[in-house]
Amino acid sequence: MIKQAIIPLAGLGTRLLPLTSVFAKELLPINGKPGLEYIINECIDAGIKEIIFIISKRKMMIKKYFYNDKFYKDLIKKKKDPRVIEEYKKILKFRKMIKFVYQNKPKGTGDAVLKTKKLIKDKYFLMLLPDDLIIKKNCSKSMISSHKRYKSSVMASMSVNKKSVSRWGIYKLDKKLNKTDYLISDVIEKPDLKNAPSNKAVIGRYILPRSIFTKLKTTKPSKGGEIHITDAIQALIKDNEKFIAHHFSGKYLDCGTMNGYINSTLEINKL
Ligand code: G1P
């Protein structure tokens, strides 16, 4: 069973400036609800019991969002507004499942994962990247089904325009296991078009084995100084760890860029 999920939330969000100069991008509203709540609901619906948030001092606003008790209690004391009570209950429900760890230097997703090492209890855990919303079908849930069936690590996969391969982690696929699942023989972080093994991209949902922590300790930072989770995964694949690319059927929304963020509101509004 996959019971724990981790969400890296320490990113600077420079692609959404100037909003992110004062605001945590994951709390920006998408159709009236913070993007982060869609991700939490995906976890709950997929049977996750504990979520670990990796935040930074700059992103304390996220912790405050879940720990603003005095504000709610004062409001409710003054006037028993059922809507306020409902919202407060929802926040308390979320909070029960959330733990916080800190990554104060933006040293990449791999470094963020490493910060959760002491809290991960089982052999496998789920990671969701908050910029990547997937609507219409619960991607984490269907990945957990594939994980149960094949007893291996699973990552979300989507076909992308060939010209855009250098924006993504890109898979080299091996054996087809069924209509949606393929074994992976390589995964390369943001390759040039000429070095890209396919146009199948990594999307931000990963079921990772605990052995990733040992690999991450020896994973070298890339040119930009960040430790990429993709590089640690590639090293595990080379050690014969089984990884599956899962072609999900939901709709992907990229909330990490301004155009994508605006579009995600329009798409969710259509549901
Ligand atoms: C990250 C991953 C990349 C993946 C992408 C999906 O990149 O490093 O492999 O394809 O998420 O959104 P980032 O968006 O942080 O540049």
Side-chain angles (χ1 to χ4, degrees), residues 5 7 30 32-49 51 53 65-66 87 89-91 93-95 97-98 126 128 133-135 137-141 144 205 268:
I7 308 181
I30 298 176
K33 206 163 74 175
L36 186 54
E37 283 198 20
Y38 293 92
I39 302 275
I40 298 174
N41 283 328
E42 178 177 330
C43 288
I44 294 174
D45 188 42
I48 295 295
K49 304 289 178 222
I51 310 179
F53 283 1
Y65 186 77
F66 296 95
E87 290 299 333
K89 273 193 193 155
K90 181 183 75 182
I91 293 287
K93 181 183 105 177
F94 288 156
R95 177 164 100 199
M97 337 176 40
I98 303 172
L126 173 70
L128 305 93
L133 282 196
I134 300 173
I135 56 168
K137 187 122 200 282
N138 189 320
C139 180
S140 296
K141 204 177 195 170
I144 289 173
R205 300 288 182 279
I268 290 181

Side-chain angles (χ1 to χ4, degrees), residues 2-93:
I2 307 275
K3 293 197 210 91
Q4 291 178 297
I6 69 170
I7 308 181
L9 294 161
L12 298 175
T14 43
R15 287 182 285 201
L16 286 178
L17 281 170
L19 293 176
T20 43
S21 68
V22 293
F23 217 82
K25 67 174 172 183
E26 300 82 2
L27 293 181
L28 290 171
I30 298 176
N31 203 36
K33 206 163 74 175
L36 186 54
E37 283 198 20
Y38 293 92
I39 302 275
I40 298 174
N41 283 328
E42 178 177 330
C43 288
I44 294 174
D45 188 42
I48 295 295
K49 304 289 178 222
E50 182 178 279
I51 310 179
I52 301 163
F53 283 1
I54 305 129
I55 61 170
S56 67
K57 281 187 199 139
R58 291 186 70 253
K59 307 284 282 281
M60 283 309 276
M61 180 188 274
I62 295 176
K63 189 161 187 189
K64 181 92 189 273
Y65 186 77
F66 296 95
Y67 279 84
N68 218 356
D69 297 65
K70 189 171 170 353
F71 174 82
Y72 282 104
K73 282 181 181 160
D74 286 353
L75 260 183
I76 294 166
K77 215 184 205 173
K78 259 191 221 137
K79 184 170 169 265
K80 290 201 166 22
D81 181 339
R83 208 188 72 84
V84 179
I85 295 171
E86 263 325 289
E87 290 299 333
Y88 186 40
K89 273 193 193 155
K90 181 183 75 182
I91 293 287
L92 288 177
K93 181 183 105 177

Side-chain angles (χ1 to χ4, degrees), residues 15 129 132 167-169 189-190 202-204 206 230 252:
R15 287 182 285 201
L129 301 186
D132 295 351
R167 187 256 172 263
W168 312 91
E189 182 67 11
K190 304 193 170 82
V202 178
I203 299 301
Y206 310 69
T230 318
Y252 166 69

Side-chain angles (χ1 to χ4, degrees), residues 251-266:
K251 188 175 173 56
Y252 166 69
L253 303 172
D254 175 8
C255 303
T257 63
M258 194 55 87
N259 279 341
Y261 169 65
I262 293 166
N263 182 51
S264 62
T265 295
L266 301 176

